[in-house]
């Protein structure tokens, strides 16, 4: 097995069903929605989080066996890399992201993989859509700036299941900010913020 694939296998930490059920209790969909998981594994987490809702599920999985298992779970699945898939901006209401826990080697300045995946995928979430981001506590500081700039109503929760406590994994739930503000120059954005506060 080549080094990149062995690293991806080693960086795969599926979320226990009990933790996905805990996360699901925090999510209240208002109607039909689209959800995507770019590191889907067999799709079990996405299925559990969306259970009992009117969700259209899509997934991307690099490992062939896990991609086949995900497709067998009736999730529209692409076998390939999330970085090579073309997913339109603001095309999903829920992004479930449990990326490989590792440091990448290559064109992204050897950043944490959690940040590399977040930078690539966060634009897929519609304004006020939800990001469920499962990461080790050691990766939180690397992702904090991007999370704070692109999301609001951010909640951080420690996973407590006995199978994850030793890896100190946390779940971050956040709502995407409106992309309209990104088009406003920073000077006008600051002025608008001051004007809003005065009123």
């Amino acid at each position: 097995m080549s080094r990149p694939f062995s690293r991806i296998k080693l960086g795969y930490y599926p979320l226990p069903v009990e933790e996905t059920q805990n996360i699901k209790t925090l999510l209240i969909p208002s109607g039909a929605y689209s959800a995507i998981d770019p590191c889907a594994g067999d799709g079990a987490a996405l299925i559990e989080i969306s259970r009992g809702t009117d969700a259209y599920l899509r997934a991307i999985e690099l490992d062939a066996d896990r991609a086949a298992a995900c497709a067998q779970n009736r999730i529209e699945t692409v076998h390939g890399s999330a970085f090579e898939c073309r997913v339109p901006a603001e095309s999903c209401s829920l992004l479930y992201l449990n990326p490989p826990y590792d440091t990448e080697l290559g064109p992204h300045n050897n950043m944490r993989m959690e940040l590399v995946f977040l930078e690539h995928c966060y634009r897929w979430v519609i304004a006020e859509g939800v990001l469920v981001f499962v990461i080790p506590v050691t990766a939180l500081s690397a992702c904090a700036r991007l999370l704070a700039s692109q999301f609001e109503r951010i909640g951080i929760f420690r996973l407590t299941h006995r199978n994850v406590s030793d890896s100190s994994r946390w779940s971050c739930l956040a709502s995407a900010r409106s992309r309209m503000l990104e088009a406003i120059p920073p000077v006008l954005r600051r002025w608008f913020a001051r004007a809003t506060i005065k009123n």
Side-chain angles (χ1 to χ4, degrees), residues 42-171:
D42 63 5
L46 191 61
I47 289 169
E48 194 59 44
I49 285 174
S50 62
R51 187 177 302 283
T53 66
D54 190 12
Y56 174 66
L57 306 180
R58 296 177 293 164
I60 304 167
E61 176 53 47
L62 186 58
D63 181 80
D65 294 334
R66 294 192 297 249
C70 192
Q72 286 176 353
N73 283 327
R74 297 188 182 143
I75 298 174
E76 183 181 323
T77 306
V78 172
H79 170 220
S81 168
F83 301 105
E84 295 173 0
C85 289
R86 188 157 189 241
V87 178
E90 299 191 24
S91 61
C92 70
S93 299
L94 173 66
L95 170 62
Y96 174 77
L97 183 56
N98 184 6
Y101 305 158
D102 202 353
T103 302
E104 62 94 30
L105 300 172
H108 298 289
N109 301 319
N110 300 331
M111 296 189 303
R112 292 286 313 184
M113 287 302 292
E114 299 88 347
L115 177 59
V116 173
F117 271 90
L118 182 62
E119 283 183 338
H120 182 73
C121 300
Y122 83 87
R123 292 175 186 85
W124 301 350
V125 185
I126 64 169
E128 298 191 14
V130 175
L131 165 70
V132 176
F133 192 32
V134 181
I135 55 173
V137 69
T138 54
L140 189 56
S141 62
C143 301
R145 183 182 300 266
L146 180 57
L147 286 169
S149 68
Q150 300 300 324
F151 294 89
E152 55 192 4
R153 297 191 300 260
I154 299 171
I156 309 288
F157 305 90
R158 184 171 187 189
L159 304 182
T160 57
H161 189 270
R162 66 184 180 279
N163 290 346
V164 295
S165 60
D166 58 341
S167 62
S168 299
R169 287 197 282 171
W170 295 67
S171 176

